[in-house]
Amino acid sequence: MDSGKTLCSLLKAIQFQESAVFCAMQEGLKLTVEEGKCVQASAYIPADNFNEYHVRDDVDVLFKISIAVLTECLNIFGSAEESSLKMYYRCEGSPLLLVLQAQSFSNVMTDCEIATQTADTLLELRDEDAEEESKLVLKAPAFLGLLADLERSCDIIEINLSPEHPNLSIVTYGMQDRSCIEIPKSSDMVQSFTCERAVTLKYQLYHIRLIMKALAVSNKVVLRCSSNGLLLLQLKLEKEDQRQMFSEFYIVPLLDD
Amino acid sequence: MKFRAVMVDTGPMREFTNIVSTISKLSKECVLRLSTEKLYFIVSEDNSGPSPPMLWCEIPQDTFFSEYQIVGVDDEYRDIYLGLVSANLSKSLATLKTAKCLKMKLTKKQCPCLTLEIETPSSTSQQTRQVTHDIPVIVIPRKLWSEFHEPRIPQPDMSIELPALKQLRTTIDRMKGMCPEVVIRASAEGRLTLQIKTDMAKVSTRFKDLRVMAFEGPIDHSDSETETQTIEDISKTCYCRVDTKKFSMFLSADQISHNATVCSIVNKKLVILCLQTEENVKLQCFITGIVY
């Protein structure tokens, strides 16, 4: 890979836990982080982001790795510096090897050996039976601005989706106040909007806030709600060379009490 | 005891400010030694014992000051040693970058003070403003002078040029987050390797094609654990394990415009980092090795 910088910023965006599950597939790399069985965040790096990409197809390349150490290693020459990256992994139990070369200085090189562990099982949050009820495509920077405006002290965020006006409203309840943001589907930040019937969903605001770092590096966000209330956010990060990386967040709703 | 000095050129003023601010980042307190030829800033570690000071900085007075007068205690002891809080000095000098003139003198107010008179031009009129800072100092008695003598250090096994400090600092700062100790390894072929090892990861950054200033090889590694991983001739390399934080602190000196920085290593015992500027300021940092 010519530049480890975008990869590093993507990984930082899902770095809310110490370790991640690293999975290499034919299509690309996937790193997954979980937060207390309620949020599952993944970063996808499609294989076309790499100049060369080989994965053995007869074995599962799956292991647990410290994402903090991985991002520090990728960032070893500082965030201002572009560096080329090579990544190697031999077999279960062997470390992940990284070779980084700074682009503006030819005389420096870094080797990293990062210890790997056997991967924990990940939550299977996707339910095949649950239908997708609504889908929204939003501009990531605008959505980030909106989330940043929300009162931090609130615990709960309520998302109302409806085919009627206003199509999307976000309500937070504070100590003494209730604040509501309404976004009609004609809004500039909404690129597409589909919703079959009105729904009200509640989430922990803290969980929603976890996606903010990823929003900051992304261009576009797709919000999907399924009939069981599971919220799926898919974020697309487009690089200068037109190649794309993705991140994905599954967020479990709060049950009505 | 008398001391009076005047600085008028902007270049030296800027440099002096940078030096002092670097020192204030390295340590809370420092000793300023004034002699007829040079000014010295000395930082010792609290419990250093016989080991060399952490920092030794020499500033030749004639390139910095247009006037410089010093009268010591008597003819035999001509120097003055002052203990001061380095942040006080660096804060007072903050306005120096735009100043016209700096006067430094030793005064006796409620306590002994190093008085700085800074004259700054006004942006609206021809008149100038004068700011006076009194920095309390402790005059260090003669019997304690021996603690601040020029460090006597063993002959380094190797001296090697360091790569650009800024680049080195970003790398070290990343490593600092992962491991408190870093192994600095230099080879006579001009390679410098920084290596950390933790349970989680092993990271080594190699710089090559660096100038080797001195090499007193071959180096005896007979007592060390044999690491057969190296293909290169290990008698031509030496290393030292040091505190990552201390190393990183020295690298913050990159704000002083410098000609060359040299890293000297006494195998396994000591790392000496030396920065030299065009005005012949020499800043040396001594980091003792960690031995298990």
Side-chain angles (χ1 to χ4, degrees):
Chain A
M1 194 187 258
D2 286 333
S3 160
K5 209 161 133 186
T6 337
L7 175 62
C8 185
S9 52
L10 185 68
L11 294 185
K12 275 202 173 150
I14 61 159
Q15 193 195 328
F16 48 80
Q17 282 285 309
E18 168 57 29
S19 47
V21 173
F22 187 111
C23 175
M25 298 162 290
Q26 290 300 328
E27 306 82 54
L29 294 180
K30 181 184 169 191
L31 282 102
T32 308
V33 178
E34 279 176 1
E35 163 77 32
K37 308 263 180 217
C38 293
V39 183
Q40 187 183 75
S42 309
Y44 285 103
I45 304 99
D48 68 352
N49 281 281
F50 297 90
N51 297 350
E52 256 184 77
Y53 186 89
H54 303 289
V55 182
R56 274 175 64 183
D57 47 11
D58 52 336
V59 283
D60 284 338
V61 182
L62 189 71
F63 52 86
K64 194 165 94 174
I65 192 166
S66 160
I67 191 163
V69 170
L70 181 60
T71 49
E72 283 287 64
C73 288
L74 288 174
N75 202 8
I76 195 101
F77 300 121
S79 50
E81 180 62 32
E82 280 282 358
S83 53
S84 68
L85 164 70
K86 288 180 195 147
M87 237 191 271
Y88 306 94
Y89 177 72
R90 191 187 298 274
C91 62
E92 197 176 332
S94 63
L96 178 72
L97 303 181
L98 304 181
V99 179
L100 290 129
Q101 181 131 34
Q103 253 158 29
S104 50
F105 317 98
S106 58
N107 65 341
V108 53
M109 221 169 145
T110 298
D111 293 335
C112 310
E113 277 179 33
I114 307 174
T116 59
Q117 292 167 290
T118 313
D120 306 329
T121 42
L122 290 171
L123 293 175
E124 191 54 64
L125 288 173
R126 195 199 300 258
D127 184 355
E128 296 297 335
D129 299 333
E131 279 173 44
E132 183 178 298
E133 289 214 317
S134 44
K135 182 187 166 193
L136 269 80
V137 183
L138 303 173
K139 287 181 184 162
F143 191 51
L144 174 66
L146 193 150
L147 290 185
D149 282 346
L150 296 177
E151 176 63 42
R152 267 156 205 269
S153 60
C154 299
D155 291 337
I156 292 168
I157 175 171
E158 188 183 288
I159 299 177
N160 297 298
L161 288 160
S162 122
E164 310 288 321
H165 178 90
N167 308 89
L168 168 65
S169 67
I170 295 173
V171 184
T172 53
Y173 296 96
M175 296 286 270
Q176 277 129 25
D177 63 322
R178 168 188 178 275
S179 67
C180 176
I181 302 172
E182 294 183 348
I183 306 140
K185 66 178 171 190
S186 57
S187 159
D188 273 351
M189 67 183 276
V190 182
Q191 292 184 326
S192 104
F193 185 91
T194 16
C195 179
E196 301 293 321
R197 63 182 179 88
V199 276
T200 299
L201 298 162
K202 282 185 182 166
Y203 300 95
Q204 286 254 309
L205 181 59
Y206 166 67
H207 290 156
I208 301 280
R209 292 182 68 87
L210 289 176
I211 68 168
M212 288 175 72
K213 272 190 190 166
L215 275 175
V217 296
S218 303
N219 315 84
K220 211 158 97 174
V221 52
V222 182
L223 223 113
R224 293 170 195 268
C225 290
S226 54
S227 57
N228 58 2
L230 185 70
L231 184 68
L232 165 62
L233 292 124
Q234 292 168 313
L235 288 82
K236 188 167 87 177
L237 188 162
E238 203 157 297
K239 294 194 296 175
E240 291 120 14
D241 59 0
Q242 307 298 314
R243 293 199 177 121
Q244 296 165 343
M245 294 188 191
F246 302 91
S247 51
E248 199 175 73
F249 292 77
Y250 281 102
I251 302 174
V252 174
L254 286 170
L255 294 174
D256 280 329
D257 40 15
Chain B
M1 253 190 307
K2 261 187 202 159
F3 170 69
R4 201 184 110 87
V6 179
M7 205 188 282
V8 285
D9 294 328
T10 47
M13 278 196 218
R14 193 176 309 126
E15 190 155 326
F16 191 68
T17 316
N18 286 340
I19 293 167
V20 172
S21 91
T22 305
I23 290 167
S24 75
K25 277 180 207 152
L26 287 168
S27 160
K28 269 191 195 154
E29 284 164 20
C30 70
V31 170
L32 173 62
R33 172 183 163 194
L34 305 162
S35 76
T36 44
E37 298 298 319
K38 284 174 178 171
L39 281 83
Y40 301 84
F41 283 103
I42 305 157
V43 175
S44 326
E45 275 170 289
D46 299 334
N47 46 7
S48 62
S51 66
M54 203 171 91
L55 181 115
W56 179 268
C57 176
E58 298 178 20
I59 304 171
Q61 57 93 351
D62 52 356
T63 47
F64 277 80
F65 296 97
S66 56
E67 272 176 58
Y68 190 89
Q69 295 161 3
I70 177 165
V71 180
V73 186
D74 55 36
D75 281 350
E76 202 183 331
Y77 298 95
R78 292 182 185 194
D79 296 359
I80 301 174
Y81 285 72
L82 304 171
L84 51 92
V85 176
S86 34
N88 284 348
L89 186 59
S90 77
K91 275 183 207 154
S92 310
L93 292 176
T95 52
L96 197 62
K97 280 178 184 170
T98 52
K100 270 172 76 177
C101 170
L102 163 75
K103 275 183 207 147
M104 264 165 84
K105 57 190 176 190
L106 200 58
T107 52
K108 179 101 187 149
K109 307 228 161 150
Q110 276 107 342
C111 66
C113 282
L114 185 68
T115 300
L116 307 178
E117 289 174 12
I118 300 174
E119 205 178 310
T120 48
S122 160
S123 53
T124 48
S125 72
Q126 288 295 308
Q127 286 167 323
T128 57
R129 280 171 291 163
Q130 185 149 327
V131 187
T132 308
H133 298 274
D134 292 320
I135 300 165
V137 294
I138 298 162
V139 178
I140 293 169
R142 220 176 309 168
K143 61 174 189 255
L144 295 178
W145 285 10
S146 60
E147 288 180 22
F148 305 103
H149 271 167
E150 187 144 12
R152 235 175 269 126
I153 47 159
Q155 176 73 33
D157 291 307
M158 188 165 342
S159 293
I160 189 165
E161 177 197 14
L162 281 182
L165 289 192
K166 210 171 161 199
Q167 180 194 357
L168 197 58
R169 183 151 70 113
T170 39
T171 302
I172 280 292
D173 283 350
R174 293 286 94 70
M175 291 184 167
K176 192 171 70 177
M178 291 188 269
C179 184
E181 291 166 11
V182 58
V183 175
I184 303 173
R185 194 183 298 268
S187 86
E189 284 98 23
R191 264 194 303 276
L192 184 77
T193 311
L194 306 171
Q195 192 177 58
I196 56 163
K197 235 186 229 174
T198 65
D199 296 344
M200 302 300 287
K202 196 172 121 185
V203 180
S204 58
T205 298
R206 290 179 310 231
F207 298 88
K208 58 177 190 196
D209 304 329
L210 300 169
R211 218 144 35 103
V212 176
M213 315 298 228
F215 175 56
E216 309 290 330
I219 290 153
D220 182 17
H221 284 281
S222 55
D223 57 335
S224 63
E225 69 274 41
T226 41
E227 277 186 61
T228 43
Q229 47 142 348
T230 40
I231 319 134
E232 56 193 329
D233 185 2
I234 64 160
S235 66
K236 285 186 183 166
T237 64
C238 61
Y239 71 93
C240 189
R241 185 190 304 272
V242 296
D243 188 320
T244 320
K245 251 189 230 151
K246 284 187 194 161
F247 191 39
S248 152
M249 275 193 320
F250 167 79
L251 298 176
S252 64
D254 66 348
Q255 58 171 313
I256 304 172
S257 62
H258 49 273
N259 276 354
T261 45
V262 177
C263 169
S264 305
I265 299 177
V266 182
N267 196 24
K268 291 189 268 183
K269 292 197 182 81
L270 184 70
V271 173
I272 306 147
L273 301 161
C274 176
L275 178 142
Q276 212 143 9
T277 76
E278 232 158 88
E279 282 86 10
N280 275 321
V281 174
K282 199 165 142 194
L283 191 121
Q284 274 179 292
C285 203
F286 303 87
I287 308 173
T288 31
I290 301 166
V291 188
Y292 293 127

